[in-house]
Amino acid sequence: MGSAPVSDPVYVAETVTTAAKILVVGHFAVGKTTFVGTLSEIRPLRTEETMTQAGELVDDLAGIPDKTTTTVAMDFGRLTLSESLVLYLFGAPGQKRFTQLWKDMLVGALGAVVLTDTRRLDQSFDIMGLLEEHGMPYAVAVNQFDGAPDFPEAEIREALDLLPETPLVICDARNATSSVRALISLIEYLQTRTPEEQG
């Protein structure tokens, strides 16, 4: 299958020789779809569906009354980093019932950006535990929501029980510059890891 001309942003340029996979994960309604969409240079693939009354029995909408849709498979975006390197962003659904999908999405990924919300930090433990169980390096990005409490970094680190080397950044998933900084924090962390740590 040939590539389209470089002038067409839908297709990968013919000069690209390397692709890297990064996961965007986190608990329900933390901004993963927004994060992927903000960074993607192409129109992102989204698998959002309207939430129904049946979903109210399993999805906690406390503090997020305006949430009307949810990801049911994944989000997908692309970001070209250089003439030869492209980054593929895979956003996972946040509900625990998708644990098997989370595991499947880990295959071939270099690392993950874990989005979290200071109003619901405890909901990050399941996905962080899964990443650690599978040896997947990650950076934590605290997504800023209007009205969410603002805590010092040290308190967030303690609440999430983060290792000292785990990157922690504050970001706004709606803002491209802020989202890029979160992504860079993960990339820089990956570059510091030894071959043994990289597996």
Side-chain angles (χ1 to χ4, degrees), residues 13-72:
E14 292 182 356
T15 57
V16 170
T17 57
T18 306
K21 176 182 178 183
I22 297 293
L23 302 182
V24 179
V25 297
H27 56 74
F28 174 63
V30 76
K32 300 176 296 294
T33 297
T34 301
F35 186 89
V36 171
T38 296
L39 288 176
S40 182
E41 66 194 16
I42 59 172
R43 188 175 76 178
L45 167 69
R46 292 184 171 148
T47 58
E48 286 199 307
E49 293 293 337
T50 301
M51 297 182 66
T52 64
Q53 286 185 327
E56 293 177 8
L57 301 174
V58 291
D59 296 330
D60 183 6
L61 296 175
I64 46 172
D66 298 330
K67 178 94 172 145
T68 59
T69 62
T70 186
T71 300
V72 295

Side-chain angles (χ1 to χ4, degrees), residues 51-126:
M51 297 182 66
T52 64
Q53 286 185 327
E56 293 177 8
L57 301 174
V58 291
D59 296 330
D60 183 6
L61 296 175
I64 46 172
D66 298 330
K67 178 94 172 145
T68 59
T69 62
T70 186
T71 300
V72 295
M74 69 174 184
D75 299 308
F76 174 79
R78 189 187 78 212
L79 184 60
T80 300
L81 300 183
S82 70
E83 289 185 355
S84 61
L85 176 62
V86 69
L87 193 65
Y88 291 123
L89 302 171
F90 287 80
Q95 297 94 321
K96 191 173 181 180
R97 63 182 178 272
F98 291 107
T99 299
Q100 184 56 54
L101 180 58
W102 297 349
K103 293 178 180 178
D104 293 342
M105 291 177 76
L106 289 172
V107 176
L110 294 181
V113 174
V114 179
L115 287 178
T116 192
D117 175 355
T118 56
R119 299 169 297 182
R120 299 174 290 147
L121 289 175
D122 59 309
Q123 294 182 23
S124 300
F125 293 136
D126 286 335

Side-chain angles (χ1 to χ4, degrees), residues 130-157:
L130 182 72
L131 294 173
E132 291 169 3
E133 178 185 329
H134 288 81
M136 180 64 59
Y138 62 88
V140 175
V142 179
N143 194 10
Q144 295 179 308
F145 287 90
D146 297 336
D150 186 18
F151 297 110
E153 179 181 319
E155 290 185 23
I156 296 173
R157 282 189 166 279

